[in-house]
Structure formats: structure tokens, C-alpha cells
């Protein structure tokens, strides 16, 4: 009996794999029996290894103040799903996915008109005594900037 062994390592992207008139799609050991020229059995064995495509997913939540965001040598400035294909150490495809969420800066504006007799005016823990625009920065529940603006108009007492 004649025997032969063929060892093959391929990437999933190279499937299907053809060998001795047969098609294979998964890792495995495959044996075929033939008749040699002398009329005897000839057994051929295929040891097929299929290196799968590698995948990775990175989930990132950042504040707008942390932009631009760098990942795998690229820069991103907006919420989105980004996919990049690389070559693994085995020479096969490696697909990396970035799920980027950018929490925007929250803003709010409060317009207040009061009489001078209502002074002092309290807003967000502070006291104001004159007409003006006042801006304060806080941290939102998501840990990002939240900017509150007060437009205060003080109507003076008419005499």
C-alpha cells in the first residue's frame, strides 16, 4: 500500500479548498483511497487547517471635549461604527470594529427678567445682583461638560 500525506494551512478567505477532485470547507483530516499504477491501494491523506478570520470589537464612549479620537492609526471625530481589515500574524484577514459614541456637550439657556426689588437673584447656587449673561460649566451625568447660561435682565425701579 502506498501512502502520502499533504499538510495544508490556508485562510478562511481561500475556501473552498480543492484536493484530488474533492472540495473541502473546514479544518480536518481527509483520506482518499486510489488504485496505484501497479493495481494496489494508494492512500492519500490531507491534513487541512483553516485559519479563521480574526475579529475584535472595541466599544468606546467619550465626551466631545476628548475629540479627536485615535484608534489603529486613524482619527475619528463623530459617533459611528468603523471597521478596518488588517493581516493577522498567520497572514489571514483580521477585522477590527470600533463602536464609537461621542457624548455631546449639553447646553441650556435660562432667560429671566425681574424687578430690582427681587434682587438678589439665585441661580445654580450662585447669587446675582445686576443685569448680565452668566455662564457656568458643570459635569453631566455622562461625565461630560454641561454648559448653563443665564441671561438676567434686572428692570430698575421707575421713579
Amino acid at each position: 500500500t502506498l501512502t502520502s500525506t499533504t499538510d495544508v494551512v490556508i485562510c478562511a478567505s481561500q475556501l473552498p479548498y480543492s484536493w484530488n477532485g474533492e472540495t473541502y470547507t473546514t479544518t480536518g483530516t481527509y483520506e482518499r483511497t486510489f488504485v496505484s499504477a501497479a493495481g494496489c491501494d494508494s492512500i492519500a491523506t490531507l491534513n487541512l487547517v483553516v485559519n479563521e478570520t480574526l475579529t475584535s470589537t472595541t466599544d468606546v464612549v467619550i465626551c466631545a471635549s476628548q475629540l479627536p479620537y485615535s484608534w489603529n492609526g486613524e482619527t475619528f471625530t463623530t459617533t459611528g461604527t468603523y471597521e478596518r481589515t488588517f493581516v493577522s500574524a498567520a497572514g489571514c484577514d483580521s477585522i477590527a470594529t470600533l463602536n464609537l459614541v461621542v457624548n455631546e456637550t449639553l447646553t441650556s439657556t435660562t432667560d429671566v427678567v425681574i424687578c430690582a426689588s427681587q434682587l438678589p437673584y439665585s441661580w445654580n447656587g450662585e447669587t446675582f445682583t445686576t443685569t448680565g449673561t452668566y455662564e457656568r460649566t458643570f459635569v453631566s451625568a455622562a461625565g461630560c461638560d454641561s454648559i448653563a447660561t443665564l441671561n438676567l435682565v434686572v428692570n430698575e425701579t421707575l421713579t
Side-chain angles (χ1 to χ4, degrees):
T1 301
L2 298 174
T3 62
S4 68
T5 300
T6 303
D7 296 318
V8 176
V9 178
I10 62 171
C11 299
S13 61
Q14 295 171 292
L15 291 174
Y17 182 76
S18 294
W19 177 74
N20 284 323
E22 297 279 330
T23 301
Y24 302 93
T25 59
T26 59
T27 293
T29 298
Y30 304 97
E31 196 172 271
R32 298 276 321 269
T33 302
F34 301 97
V35 176
S36 70
C40 300
D41 284 346
S42 173
I43 300 172
T45 302
L46 169 65
N47 294 315
L48 178 63
V49 175
V50 179
N51 287 325
E52 296 300 323
T53 300
L54 300 176
T55 61
S56 68
T57 300
T58 303
D59 297 317
V60 176
V61 179
I62 62 171
C63 300
S65 61
Q66 294 171 290
L67 290 174
Y69 182 77
S70 294
W71 177 74
N72 283 321
E74 292 191 53
T75 301
F76 302 91
T77 59
T78 58
T79 292
T81 298
Y82 305 96
E83 186 175 279
R84 299 298 180 259
T85 301
F86 303 96
V87 177
S88 70
C92 300
D93 286 346
S94 174
I95 300 172
T97 302
L98 169 65
N99 295 316
L100 179 63
V101 175
V102 179
N103 286 325
E104 297 300 323
T105 300
L106 301 176
T107 60
S108 67
T109 301
T110 303
D111 296 316
V112 175
V113 178
I114 62 172
C115 297
S117 61
Q118 295 172 290
L119 290 174
Y121 181 78
S122 293
W123 176 76
N124 283 322
E126 293 190 53
T127 301
F128 301 92
T129 59
T130 60
T131 293
T133 297
Y134 305 96
E135 187 175 278
R136 300 298 179 260
T137 301
F138 302 97
V139 177
S140 70
C144 299
D145 286 347
S146 175
I147 300 172
T149 302
L150 170 64
N151 295 315
L152 179 63
V153 175
V154 178
N155 287 327
E156 296 300 322
T157 303
L158 298 176
T159 58

